[in-house]
Amino acid sequence: MNYSMLQVLAEKQKVAIHPYKYDGNLQAMYMDNHIFLSDDLSDSEKTCILAEELGHHFTADRNCLDQNEAENLFCEWKGRIWSYEVLLPVGQLKAVMQAGLEKVSEIAAFFKLTKEFVKDALQYYFYSGQLKENALTEAATSDKGKNDKNLAQPNYK
């Protein structure tokens, strides 16, 4: 799914997207069927961030803006997971990895996402048991034959 498809989805859900000037604290925010999205972002950043904000629309059951409350951090995580599963479905991810994409930067370029988003999605899929460690280390390194099988946590490059 790309940015324009996310815009169509938002429109169908009656979620308005409002551009605004990024003030250094908040790149985006979802509140009451409105997404405020910084207009100073790259296309890949806009895609990743809009997906997460739409994830809040689909998964939040209350106002989760106060990040000092532990329950609201869980809301944040649910929106993020929704974005991983929509923008980088594990089946498609496995297919491109099997086709030879070996680096996070290659996967990010293929899906037109940010490297940070891909790294975070890889960690989510690894820790949720949807990807095996060796698949992750192969996708995360440039040296296929030099994978460290005793990783405590995947090291993405």
mmCIF file of all heavy atoms in Angstrom, residues 37-77:
data_model
loop_
_atom_site.group_PDB
_atom_site.id
_atom_site.type_symbol
_atom_site.label_atom_id
_atom_site.label_comp_id
_atom_site.label_asym_id
_atom_site.label_seq_id
_atom_site.Cartn_x
_atom_site.Cartn_y
_atom_site.Cartn_z
ATOM 1 N N LEU A 37 -0.654 16.014 9.749
ATOM 2 C CA LEU A 37 0.574 15.420 9.221
ATOM 3 C C LEU A 37 1.491 16.532 8.719
ATOM 4 O O LEU A 37 1.081 17.360 7.901
ATOM 5 C CB LEU A 37 0.224 14.461 8.082
ATOM 6 C CG LEU A 37 1.328 13.662 7.433
ATOM 7 C CD1 LEU A 37 1.954 12.700 8.441
ATOM 8 C CD2 LEU A 37 0.783 12.874 6.248
ATOM 9 N N SER A 38 2.708 16.530 9.220
ATOM 10 C CA SER A 38 3.673 17.537 8.812
ATOM 11 C C SER A 38 3.863 17.507 7.301
ATOM 12 O O SER A 38 3.996 16.439 6.697
ATOM 13 C CB SER A 38 5.013 17.289 9.504
ATOM 14 O OG SER A 38 5.988 18.168 8.997
ATOM 15 N N ASP A 39 3.905 18.672 6.701
ATOM 16 C CA ASP A 39 4.120 18.734 5.254
ATOM 17 C C ASP A 39 5.600 18.843 4.907
ATOM 18 O O ASP A 39 5.958 18.972 3.744
ATOM 19 C CB ASP A 39 3.314 19.864 4.620
ATOM 20 C CG ASP A 39 3.608 21.225 5.210
ATOM 21 O OD1 ASP A 39 4.479 21.331 6.103
ATOM 22 O OD2 ASP A 39 2.963 22.204 4.782
ATOM 23 N N ASP A 40 6.464 18.759 5.914
ATOM 24 C CA ASP A 40 7.918 18.829 5.705
ATOM 25 C C ASP A 40 8.578 17.456 5.652
ATOM 26 O O ASP A 40 9.770 17.347 5.900
ATOM 27 C CB ASP A 40 8.568 19.650 6.822
ATOM 28 C CG ASP A 40 8.112 21.095 6.834
ATOM 29 O OD1 ASP A 40 7.710 21.594 5.757
ATOM 30 O OD2 ASP A 40 8.140 21.718 7.901
ATOM 31 N N LEU A 41 7.831 16.426 5.329
ATOM 32 C CA LEU A 41 8.352 15.054 5.336
ATOM 33 C C LEU A 41 8.581 14.543 3.922
ATOM 34 O O LEU A 41 7.921 14.983 2.978
ATOM 35 C CB LEU A 41 7.357 14.126 6.043
ATOM 36 C CG LEU A 41 7.007 14.464 7.492
ATOM 37 C CD1 LEU A 41 5.826 13.623 7.948
ATOM 38 C CD2 LEU A 41 8.207 14.241 8.388
ATOM 39 N N SER A 42 9.487 13.592 3.793
ATOM 40 C CA SER A 42 9.688 12.928 2.504
ATOM 41 C C SER A 42 8.473 12.047 2.207
ATOM 42 O O SER A 42 7.667 11.767 3.101
ATOM 43 C CB SER A 42 10.952 12.066 2.540
ATOM 44 O OG SER A 42 10.749 10.937 3.375
ATOM 45 N N ASP A 43 8.364 11.595 0.977
ATOM 46 C CA ASP A 43 7.237 10.737 0.607
ATOM 47 C C ASP A 43 7.217 9.451 1.431
ATOM 48 O O ASP A 43 6.160 9.024 1.884
ATOM 49 C CB ASP A 43 7.285 10.394 -0.885
ATOM 50 C CG ASP A 43 6.969 11.594 -1.764
ATOM 51 O OD1 ASP A 43 6.411 12.600 -1.258
ATOM 52 O OD2 ASP A 43 7.286 11.532 -2.968
ATOM 53 N N SER A 44 8.373 8.846 1.631
ATOM 54 C CA SER A 44 8.405 7.599 2.408
ATOM 55 C C SER A 44 8.056 7.856 3.866
ATOM 56 O O SER A 44 7.367 7.055 4.497
ATOM 57 C CB SER A 44 9.757 6.886 2.270
ATOM 58 O OG SER A 44 10.806 7.708 2.717
ATOM 59 N N GLU A 45 8.513 8.976 4.417
ATOM 60 C CA GLU A 45 8.158 9.324 5.804
ATOM 61 C C GLU A 45 6.652 9.557 5.926
ATOM 62 O O GLU A 45 6.027 9.075 6.880
ATOM 63 C CB GLU A 45 8.910 10.577 6.255
ATOM 64 C CG GLU A 45 10.381 10.365 6.484
ATOM 65 C CD GLU A 45 11.127 11.663 6.736
ATOM 66 O OE1 GLU A 45 10.813 12.692 6.088
ATOM 67 O OE2 GLU A 45 12.039 11.653 7.591
ATOM 68 N N LYS A 46 6.076 10.273 4.969
ATOM 69 C CA LYS A 46 4.632 10.527 5.001
ATOM 70 C C LYS A 46 3.854 9.212 4.959
ATOM 71 O O LYS A 46 2.863 9.055 5.665
ATOM 72 C CB LYS A 46 4.210 11.411 3.833
ATOM 73 C CG LYS A 46 4.532 12.865 4.025
ATOM 74 C CD LYS A 46 4.041 13.687 2.840
ATOM 75 C CE LYS A 46 4.384 15.145 3.033
ATOM 76 N NZ LYS A 46 3.952 15.959 1.883
ATOM 77 N N THR A 47 4.301 8.292 4.123
ATOM 78 C CA THR A 47 3.620 7.004 4.014
ATOM 79 C C THR A 47 3.650 6.264 5.338
ATOM 80 O O THR A 47 2.617 5.800 5.828
ATOM 81 C CB THR A 47 4.256 6.145 2.905
ATOM 82 O OG1 THR A 47 4.162 6.844 1.662
ATOM 83 C CG2 THR A 47 3.584 4.791 2.787
ATOM 84 N N CYS A 48 4.825 6.144 5.926
ATOM 85 C CA CYS A 48 4.975 5.400 7.184
ATOM 86 C C CYS A 48 4.180 6.050 8.316
ATOM 87 O O CYS A 48 3.494 5.356 9.087
ATOM 88 C CB CYS A 48 6.449 5.305 7.566
ATOM 89 S SG CYS A 48 7.466 4.389 6.393
ATOM 90 N N ILE A 49 4.247 7.362 8.401
ATOM 91 C CA ILE A 49 3.584 8.063 9.491
ATOM 92 C C ILE A 49 2.070 8.069 9.303
ATOM 93 O O ILE A 49 1.318 7.857 10.260
ATOM 94 C CB ILE A 49 4.169 9.476 9.653
ATOM 95 C CG1 ILE A 49 5.627 9.367 10.140
ATOM 96 C CG2 ILE A 49 3.342 10.310 10.614
ATOM 97 C CD1 ILE A 49 6.397 10.667 10.108
ATOM 98 N N LEU A 50 1.610 8.282 8.069
ATOM 99 C CA LEU A 50 0.170 8.255 7.820
ATOM 100 C C LEU A 50 -0.395 6.874 8.145
ATOM 101 O O LEU A 50 -1.474 6.760 8.734
ATOM 102 C CB LEU A 50 -0.150 8.635 6.372
ATOM 103 C CG LEU A 50 -1.631 8.590 5.988
ATOM 104 C CD1 LEU A 50 -2.473 9.481 6.902
ATOM 105 C CD2 LEU A 50 -1.805 8.975 4.526
ATOM 106 N N ALA A 51 0.336 5.820 7.797
ATOM 107 C CA ALA A 51 -0.134 4.459 8.108
ATOM 108 C C ALA A 51 -0.276 4.268 9.612
ATOM 109 O O ALA A 51 -1.260 3.690 10.083
ATOM 110 C CB ALA A 51 0.807 3.421 7.519
ATOM 111 N N GLU A 52 0.693 4.746 10.376
ATOM 112 C CA GLU A 52 0.597 4.595 11.825
ATOM 113 C C GLU A 52 -0.591 5.384 12.384
ATOM 114 O O GLU A 52 -1.326 4.889 13.245
ATOM 115 C CB GLU A 52 1.875 5.046 12.512
ATOM 116 C CG GLU A 52 1.817 4.859 14.014
ATOM 117 C CD GLU A 52 3.100 5.195 14.732
ATOM 118 O OE1 GLU A 52 4.171 5.254 14.096
ATOM 119 O OE2 GLU A 52 3.021 5.389 15.955
ATOM 120 N N GLU A 53 -0.796 6.588 11.883
ATOM 121 C CA GLU A 53 -1.921 7.392 12.368
ATOM 122 C C GLU A 53 -3.257 6.745 11.985
ATOM 123 O O GLU A 53 -4.194 6.741 12.784
ATOM 124 C CB GLU A 53 -1.828 8.826 11.849
ATOM 125 C CG GLU A 53 -0.589 9.576 12.326
ATOM 126 C CD GLU A 53 -0.375 9.562 13.832
ATOM 127 O OE1 GLU A 53 -1.364 9.663 14.590
ATOM 128 O OE2 GLU A 53 0.781 9.449 14.265
ATOM 129 N N LEU A 54 -3.350 6.169 10.788
ATOM 130 C CA LEU A 54 -4.558 5.418 10.431
ATOM 131 C C LEU A 54 -4.695 4.184 11.315
ATOM 132 O O LEU A 54 -5.807 3.774 11.653
ATOM 133 C CB LEU A 54 -4.536 5.020 8.957
ATOM 134 C CG LEU A 54 -4.960 6.103 7.981
ATOM 135 C CD1 LEU A 54 -4.700 5.660 6.540
ATOM 136 C CD2 LEU A 54 -6.419 6.468 8.174
ATOM 137 N N GLY A 55 -3.567 3.610 11.699
ATOM 138 C CA GLY A 55 -3.597 2.491 12.642
ATOM 139 C C GLY A 55 -4.252 2.882 13.948
ATOM 140 O O GLY A 55 -5.011 2.105 14.539
ATOM 141 N N HIS A 56 -4.011 4.099 14.395
ATOM 142 C CA HIS A 56 -4.677 4.579 15.614
ATOM 143 C C HIS A 56 -6.183 4.685 15.387
ATOM 144 O O HIS A 56 -6.971 4.348 16.276
ATOM 145 C CB HIS A 56 -4.112 5.924 16.053
ATOM 146 C CG HIS A 56 -2.675 5.876 16.430
ATOM 147 N ND1 HIS A 56 -2.137 4.927 17.276
ATOM 148 C CD2 HIS A 56 -1.631 6.657 16.065
ATOM 149 C CE1 HIS A 56 -0.846 5.129 17.416
ATOM 150 N NE2 HIS A 56 -0.509 6.171 16.687
ATOM 151 N N HIS A 57 -6.564 5.140 14.204
ATOM 152 C CA HIS A 57 -7.990 5.237 13.883
ATOM 153 C C HIS A 57 -8.661 3.867 13.989
ATOM 154 O O HIS A 57 -9.743 3.733 14.541
ATOM 155 C CB HIS A 57 -8.179 5.814 12.480
ATOM 156 C CG HIS A 57 -9.581 5.720 11.978
ATOM 157 N ND1 HIS A 57 -10.589 6.548 12.438
ATOM 158 C CD2 HIS A 57 -10.152 4.886 11.075
ATOM 159 C CE1 HIS A 57 -11.711 6.221 11.826
ATOM 160 N NE2 HIS A 57 -11.483 5.219 11.002
ATOM 161 N N PHE A 58 -7.999 2.837 13.465
ATOM 162 C CA PHE A 58 -8.592 1.508 13.430
ATOM 163 C C PHE A 58 -8.452 0.732 14.740
ATOM 164 O O PHE A 58 -9.233 -0.179 14.996
ATOM 165 C CB PHE A 58 -7.991 0.680 12.290
ATOM 166 C CG PHE A 58 -8.473 1.091 10.935
ATOM 167 C CD1 PHE A 58 -7.647 1.781 10.072
ATOM 168 C CD2 PHE A 58 -9.759 0.790 10.520
ATOM 169 C CE1 PHE A 58 -8.091 2.171 8.817
ATOM 170 C CE2 PHE A 58 -10.222 1.167 9.268
ATOM 171 C CZ PHE A 58 -9.383 1.864 8.414
ATOM 172 N N THR A 59 -7.476 1.065 15.577
ATOM 173 C CA THR A 59 -7.208 0.226 16.753
ATOM 174 C C THR A 59 -7.468 0.906 18.092
ATOM 175 O O THR A 59 -7.615 0.213 19.101
ATOM 176 C CB THR A 59 -5.749 -0.280 16.755
ATOM 177 O OG1 THR A 59 -4.863 0.841 16.862
ATOM 178 C CG2 THR A 59 -5.451 -1.083 15.502
ATOM 179 N N ALA A 60 -7.497 2.229 18.147
ATOM 180 C CA ALA A 60 -7.646 2.914 19.433
ATOM 181 C C ALA A 60 -9.102 2.911 19.882
ATOM 182 O O ALA A 60 -10.003 3.151 19.092
ATOM 183 C CB ALA A 60 -7.130 4.348 19.341
ATOM 184 N N ASP A 61 -9.298 2.631 21.149
ATOM 185 C CA ASP A 61 -10.652 2.628 21.705
ATOM 186 C C ASP A 61 -10.887 3.828 22.630
ATOM 187 O O ASP A 61 -11.910 3.912 23.287
ATOM 188 C CB ASP A 61 -10.927 1.318 22.436
ATOM 189 C CG ASP A 61 -9.913 1.021 23.520
ATOM 190 O OD1 ASP A 61 -8.972 1.813 23.700
ATOM 191 O OD2 ASP A 61 -10.053 -0.019 24.182
ATOM 192 N N ARG A 62 -9.924 4.737 22.675
ATOM 193 C CA ARG A 62 -10.048 5.930 23.502
ATOM 194 C C ARG A 62 -8.982 6.941 23.063
ATOM 195 O O ARG A 62 -8.140 6.634 22.242
ATOM 196 C CB ARG A 62 -9.862 5.597 24.972
ATOM 197 C CG ARG A 62 -8.463 5.114 25.311
ATOM 198 C CD ARG A 62 -8.356 4.691 26.767
ATOM 199 N NE ARG A 62 -7.069 4.179 27.085
ATOM 200 C CZ ARG A 62 -6.591 3.002 26.710
ATOM 201 N NH1 ARG A 62 -7.309 2.201 25.981
ATOM 202 N NH2 ARG A 62 -5.393 2.609 27.071
ATOM 203 N N ASN A 63 -9.005 8.124 23.646
ATOM 204 C CA ASN A 63 -8.007 9.144 23.385
ATOM 205 C C ASN A 63 -6.683 8.686 24.014
ATOM 206 O O ASN A 63 -6.614 8.476 25.224
ATOM 207 C CB ASN A 63 -8.460 10.481 23.985
ATOM 208 C CG ASN A 63 -7.462 11.581 23.746
ATOM 209 O OD1 ASN A 63 -6.265 11.363 23.652
ATOM 210 N ND2 ASN A 63 -7.963 12.797 23.645
ATOM 211 N N CYS A 64 -5.663 8.546 23.207
ATOM 212 C CA CYS A 64 -4.369 8.016 23.672
ATOM 213 C C CYS A 64 -3.260 9.063 23.606
ATOM 214 O O CYS A 64 -2.085 8.711 23.525
ATOM 215 C CB CYS A 64 -3.980 6.803 22.841
ATOM 216 S SG CYS A 64 -5.153 5.457 22.920
ATOM 217 N N LEU A 65 -3.618 10.324 23.613
ATOM 218 C CA LEU A 65 -2.621 11.367 23.410
ATOM 219 C C LEU A 65 -1.651 11.521 24.574
ATOM 220 O O LEU A 65 -0.489 11.854 24.370
ATOM 221 C CB LEU A 65 -3.308 12.703 23.121
ATOM 222 C CG LEU A 65 -4.065 12.765 21.796
ATOM 223 C CD1 LEU A 65 -4.810 14.084 21.675
ATOM 224 C CD2 LEU A 65 -3.123 12.561 20.633
ATOM 225 N N ASP A 66 -2.079 11.278 25.797
ATOM 226 C CA ASP A 66 -1.201 11.431 26.959
ATOM 227 C C ASP A 66 -0.290 10.213 27.064
ATOM 228 O O ASP A 66 -0.685 9.161 27.558
ATOM 229 C CB ASP A 66 -2.037 11.593 28.234
ATOM 230 C CG ASP A 66 -1.172 11.826 29.459
ATOM 231 O OD1 ASP A 66 0.079 11.849 29.341
ATOM 232 O OD2 ASP A 66 -1.752 11.976 30.547
ATOM 233 N N GLN A 67 0.949 10.366 26.601
ATOM 234 C CA GLN A 67 1.896 9.250 26.584
ATOM 235 C C GLN A 67 2.530 8.974 27.947
ATOM 236 O O GLN A 67 3.370 8.089 28.067
ATOM 237 C CB GLN A 67 2.989 9.511 25.545
ATOM 238 C CG GLN A 67 2.455 9.531 24.118
ATOM 239 C CD GLN A 67 1.867 8.192 23.708
ATOM 240 O OE1 GLN A 67 2.570 7.198 23.626
ATOM 241 N NE2 GLN A 67 0.571 8.154 23.452
ATOM 242 N N ASN A 68 2.109 9.697 28.980
ATOM 243 C CA ASN A 68 2.586 9.423 30.333
ATOM 244 C C ASN A 68 1.823 8.275 30.980
ATOM 245 O O ASN A 68 2.232 7.772 32.015
ATOM 246 C CB ASN A 68 2.498 10.681 31.205
ATOM 247 C CG ASN A 68 3.463 11.742 30.736
ATOM 248 O OD1 ASN A 68 4.594 11.442 30.375
ATOM 249 N ND2 ASN A 68 3.006 12.980 30.715
ATOM 250 N N GLU A 69 0.702 7.885 30.378
ATOM 251 C CA GLU A 69 -0.089 6.768 30.887
ATOM 252 C C GLU A 69 0.317 5.490 30.158
ATOM 253 O O GLU A 69 0.362 5.446 28.929
ATOM 254 C CB GLU A 69 -1.582 7.025 30.672
ATOM 255 C CG GLU A 69 -2.126 8.180 31.481
ATOM 256 C CD GLU A 69 -3.622 8.356 31.300
ATOM 257 O OE1 GLU A 69 -4.318 7.353 31.049
ATOM 258 O OE2 GLU A 69 -4.076 9.500 31.398
ATOM 259 N N ALA A 70 0.595 4.440 30.926
ATOM 260 C CA ALA A 70 1.063 3.178 30.345
ATOM 261 C C ALA A 70 0.074 2.604 29.338
ATOM 262 O O ALA A 70 0.480 2.083 28.293
ATOM 263 C CB ALA A 70 1.341 2.166 31.449
ATOM 264 N N GLU A 71 -1.204 2.692 29.620
ATOM 265 C CA GLU A 71 -2.216 2.157 28.705
ATOM 266 C C GLU A 71 -2.161 2.858 27.355
ATOM 267 O O GLU A 71 -2.420 2.252 26.322
ATOM 268 C CB GLU A 71 -3.613 2.288 29.317
ATOM 269 C CG GLU A 71 -3.843 1.399 30.511
ATOM 270 C CD GLU A 71 -5.204 1.641 31.148
ATOM 271 O OE1 GLU A 71 -5.946 2.528 30.686
ATOM 272 O OE2 GLU A 71 -5.516 0.923 32.106
ATOM 273 N N ASN A 72 -1.818 4.129 27.358
ATOM 274 C CA ASN A 72 -1.740 4.872 26.109
ATOM 275 C C ASN A 72 -0.527 4.477 25.286
ATOM 276 O O ASN A 72 -0.546 4.567 24.064
ATOM 277 C CB ASN A 72 -1.752 6.368 26.382
ATOM 278 C CG ASN A 72 -3.100 6.829 26.885
ATOM 279 O OD1 ASN A 72 -4.075 6.084 26.850
ATOM 280 N ND2 ASN A 72 -3.157 8.048 27.363
ATOM 281 N N LEU A 73 0.515 4.029 25.943
ATOM 282 C CA LEU A 73 1.673 3.516 25.203
ATOM 283 C C LEU A 73 1.292 2.258 24.432
ATOM 284 O O LEU A 73 1.767 2.025 23.326
ATOM 285 C CB LEU A 73 2.843 3.243 26.151
ATOM 286 C CG LEU A 73 3.442 4.480 26.813
ATOM 287 C CD1 LEU A 73 4.496 4.066 27.835
ATOM 288 C CD2 LEU A 73 4.026 5.421 25.774
ATOM 289 N N PHE A 74 0.407 1.446 25.017
ATOM 290 C CA PHE A 74 -0.091 0.263 24.325
ATOM 291 C C PHE A 74 -0.899 0.673 23.097
ATOM 292 O O PHE A 74 -0.815 0.046 22.049
ATOM 293 C CB PHE A 74 -0.917 -0.619 25.263
ATOM 294 C CG PHE A 74 -1.356 -1.899 24.656
ATOM 295 C CD1 PHE A 74 -0.437 -2.881 24.317
ATOM 296 C CD2 PHE A 74 -2.696 -2.135 24.389
ATOM 297 C CE1 PHE A 74 -0.829 -4.070 23.729
ATOM 298 C CE2 PHE A 74 -3.106 -3.320 23.806
ATOM 299 C CZ PHE A 74 -2.172 -4.292 23.481
ATOM 300 N N CYS A 75 -1.677 1.739 23.198
ATOM 301 C CA CYS A 75 -2.418 2.273 22.045
ATOM 302 C C CYS A 75 -1.445 2.650 20.931
ATOM 303 O O CYS A 75 -1.696 2.385 19.755
ATOM 304 C CB CYS A 75 -3.205 3.521 22.430
ATOM 305 S SG CYS A 75 -4.737 3.218 23.283
ATOM 306 N N GLU A 76 -0.365 3.283 21.311
ATOM 307 C CA GLU A 76 0.651 3.687 20.336
ATOM 308 C C GLU A 76 1.217 2.453 19.626
ATOM 309 O O GLU A 76 1.379 2.436 18.413
ATOM 310 C CB GLU A 76 1.764 4.462 21.059
ATOM 311 C CG GLU A 76 2.703 5.192 20.161
ATOM 312 C CD GLU A 76 2.050 6.327 19.385
ATOM 313 O OE1 GLU A 76 1.079 6.937 19.864
ATOM 314 O OE2 GLU A 76 2.518 6.584 18.265
ATOM 315 N N TRP A 77 1.489 1.425 20.394
ATOM 316 C CA TRP A 77 2.047 0.191 19.839
ATOM 317 C C TRP A 77 1.052 -0.485 18.891
ATOM 318 O O TRP A 77 1.428 -0.965 17.829
ATOM 319 C CB TRP A 77 2.442 -0.742 20.981
ATOM 320 C CG TRP A 77 3.073 -2.034 20.572
ATOM 321 C CD1 TRP A 77 2.668 -3.276 20.928
ATOM 322 C CD2 TRP A 77 4.221 -2.230 19.751
ATOM 323 N NE1 TRP A 77 3.480 -4.231 20.365
ATOM 324 C CE2 TRP A 77 4.444 -3.610 19.641
ATOM 325 C CE3 TRP A 77 5.087 -1.364 19.077
ATOM 326 C CZ2 TRP A 77 5.486 -4.148 18.889
ATOM 327 C CZ3 TRP A 77 6.128 -1.904 18.323
ATOM 328 C CH2 TRP A 77 6.313 -3.278 18.252
#
